[in-house]
Amino acid sequence: MNDAEQEVKIGLKTIAGNTYNWMGIGYVELYKCAPKTAVITEAGTEAENFPESNKAYATITYEGRTLAQGFNTLALPFNIEASELGNVEKVYAYGGSTITGEGDNAVIHLDFSQEVTSLNANTPYIVKMAAAQSELVFENKTLVVAEPTVTGDFFDFVGTYVALPKGNETIVAGDYISVAAGLKAAAGGNKLNAFRAYLKKNAEVPAGAKVSIMIGGEVVDG
């Protein structure tokens, strides 16, 4: 509505002995609102600069990210279908962790055998790409930000919406980070860009236990 060209009249009118308030608008203009768009980037963003949560966006552009051929981790604050990732081959959800054996023979099994076609907001996944894919644009999304973590008995699968620089204190030795071949043990302080995920070891992991990681039908240990 254009306030400069708007004429509003307010007064009293008497009908059949009764007095009524009335208001008339003499001129109204309506304007079509521009569609709301948002951008997320490889570097992530601090909370005060993050696209507004609980809002619908006509498009959300993911700038700077190329999903490499092979395995990638991905966590987004809105729902998508796997097909929206372009050259995607499979997407796997974290099914938790179990243990077999005892002492030095203990093996912790990390399960990524569940294949999914829909990715939920604030949930990390492993994405296997048949070929590299960049220029990711998602249409008609509602962005809702929450903690992007799936818990397990021995390892949690943790997404991050802020880039972790090299030397950070968040990723420590014994955690696992993503590589094109699957997942590998972290040395500690590994750099991790935003909208990725890593496996965080918790206090329940027995000393000396080995780790076996199954992605789909493929074991990608160490």
Side-chain angles (χ1 to χ4, degrees):
M1 183 178 293
N2 188 330
D3 292 336
E5 300 182 15
Q6 172 183 294
E7 181 182 356
V8 179
K9 294 182 178 180
I10 301 174
L12 299 175
K13 188 174 183 67
T14 301
I15 301 176
N18 296 313
T19 301
Y20 300 90
N21 294 321
W22 65 276
M23 181 178 70
I25 300 177
Y27 182 80
V28 175
E29 284 190 17
L30 299 178
Y31 293 86
K32 183 177 180 181
C33 296
K36 187 179 286 290
T37 62
V39 175
I40 58 177
T41 71
E42 276 285 77
T45 181
E46 298 300 329
E48 61 268 23
N49 296 322
F50 208 87
E52 190 173 358
S53 186
N54 299 307
K55 293 290 184 180
Y57 291 88
T59 61
I60 298 179
T61 303
Y62 188 177
E63 290 186 348
R65 176 80 184 266
T66 296
L67 294 173
Q69 182 177 3
F71 294 105
N72 304 260
T73 56
L74 181 66
L76 296 171
F78 46 88
N79 299 330
I80 67 169
E81 295 301 312
S83 57
E84 295 179 79
L85 297 173
N87 297 319
V88 66
E89 182 177 336
K90 304 283 185 182
V91 178
Y92 299 103
Y94 182 46
S97 49
T98 57
I99 190 169
T100 57
E102 297 179 354
D104 292 339
N105 295 319
V107 178
I108 295 173
H109 304 273
L110 305 179
D111 176 23
F112 289 93
S113 60
Q114 181 186 0
E115 183 182 341
V116 300
T117 57
S118 297
L119 288 71
N120 294 326
N122 306 304
T123 305
Y125 296 91
I126 289 180
V127 177
K128 186 176 184 181
M129 301 297 292
Q133 179 71 52
S134 56
E135 299 182 359
L136 296 167
V137 179
F138 306 98
E139 298 182 350
N140 301 317
K141 299 300 177 186
T142 298
L143 188 149
V144 180
V145 181
E147 189 68 31
T149 299
V150 179
T151 60
D153 289 340
F154 302 100
F155 283 84
D156 298 335
F157 197 32
V158 182
T160 178
Y161 292 156
V162 177
L164 300 175
K166 186 174 182 179
N168 69 82
E169 297 181 356
T170 302
I171 298 175
V172 300
D175 295 342
Y176 282 79
I177 58 174
S178 175
V179 293
L183 293 157
K184 73 171 185 178
N190 300 70
K191 178 181 177 180
L192 188 68
N193 286 334
F195 307 106
R196 306 294 212 286
Y198 64 99
L199 284 159
K200 166 62 69 177
K201 179 177 68 172
N202 65 36
E204 301 299 322
V205 176
K210 299 177 180 63
V211 174
S212 175
I213 303 171
M214 176 73 74
I215 304 178
E218 183 178 355
V219 176
V220 291
D221 297 18

